[in-house]
Amino acid sequence: MPDLSTPTRKPDRYLGERAALDDLLDAMPVGVLSTVVDGEPWSVPLLVARDGDRVLLHGSTGAGALRHVAAGVPVTLTVVALDGLVVAETAFDSSANYRSAVLRGHPVELGPEESRRALERLTDRLLPGRTSEVRASTGKELRATACLALPIVEGSWLLKARTGGAGPSEDPAVWTGVVPLALTAGPPEPTPGTTAPVPGSVVATRAAYPPPR
């Protein structure tokens, strides 16, 4: 397989720093897992969490395609953050500010005890501290959940980004600029009848996705 870290088009947008990859994976909680099942393309969005040099994935053990992935077939995982719309003088020159990563590899299915720890890590990644606020998962719940880890291997990931504004405008009467976009957390919406106060995990989640300034 070709080295994914080799730039092709617009090499100035390629980022080779592993820290930049980690920042994106830590900022975006959703990725799209893709592979081929029975000769047909297959993709599914998943909640994900980076755990050191791997990305944790999970889903129902009843999902046939996920069982196929658990067998060690090659996959790609795509994660993207849309940071802004770049409004140029023409539609053709308009663009977007973004960060996107593609990771390729062979997921490893985790054993029962490691799966328990990985699912706790994923839960606390999405809702910091949530596992300390609720009961532990039961054996039945764990058996119904497949947990996999996709190793982050040098040469098997590609990170691209665009920042900045629109190019110079020939007509100052035409507005150009950037419309910033961000993933934000709104006010919590409790289930009707809930009397408990907002837990620390929800407060921490709101802090992790603040509204843009």
Side-chain angles (χ1 to χ4, degrees):
M1 293 187 293
D3 189 332
L4 269 188
S5 62
T6 302
T8 54
R9 186 171 178 269
K10 295 188 176 181
D12 58 304
R13 295 189 183 182
Y14 287 71
L15 302 178
E17 300 83 10
R18 170 60 192 275
L21 173 68
D22 290 351
D23 287 345
L24 175 59
L25 295 176
D26 293 344
M28 302 306 296
V30 176
V32 177
L33 186 68
S34 302
T35 189
V36 176
V37 179
D38 297 329
E40 297 292 337
W42 175 85
S43 293
V44 63
L46 296 172
L47 293 170
V48 300
R50 184 180 68 87
D51 182 31
D53 291 329
R54 62 184 187 174
V55 179
L56 302 176
L57 316 167
H58 81 297
S60 170
T61 55
L66 200 60
R67 290 198 303 271
H68 179 73
V69 170
V73 301
V75 303
T76 61
L77 178 70
T78 304
V79 179
V80 62
L82 183 59
D83 297 322
L85 297 177
V86 180
V87 185
E89 186 175 4
T90 67
F92 178 81
D93 291 320
S94 296
S95 186
N97 287 337
Y98 67 92
R99 291 162 290 151
S100 68
V102 178
L103 296 85
R104 184 170 58 199
H106 297 76
V108 177
E109 186 171 18
L110 304 181
E113 188 54 38
E114 193 174 9
S115 287
R116 179 188 293 273
R117 293 194 299 270
L119 291 170
E120 290 176 351
R121 162 70 179 130
L122 194 147
T123 298
D124 285 337
R125 158 67 183 85
L126 300 171
L127 293 159
R130 185 59 176 165
T131 56
S132 65
E133 299 171 345
V134 295
R135 64 163 177 78
S137 297
T138 65
K140 181 179 180 180
E141 290 168 343
L142 292 171
R143 289 190 295 274
T145 307
C147 192
L148 300 86
L150 177 64
I152 303 174
V153 179
E154 197 64 35
S156 292
W157 56 268
L158 175 69
L159 178 65
K160 296 177 65 177
R162 186 200 187 281
T163 60
S169 174
E170 296 181 1
D171 183 357
V174 176
W175 191 93
T176 64
V178 176
V179 181
L181 300 174
L183 178 64
T184 65
E189 300 176 357
T191 302
T194 298
T195 59
V198 175
S201 61
V202 173
V203 174
T205 299
R206 292 201 69 194
Y209 301 103
R213 296 178 181 178

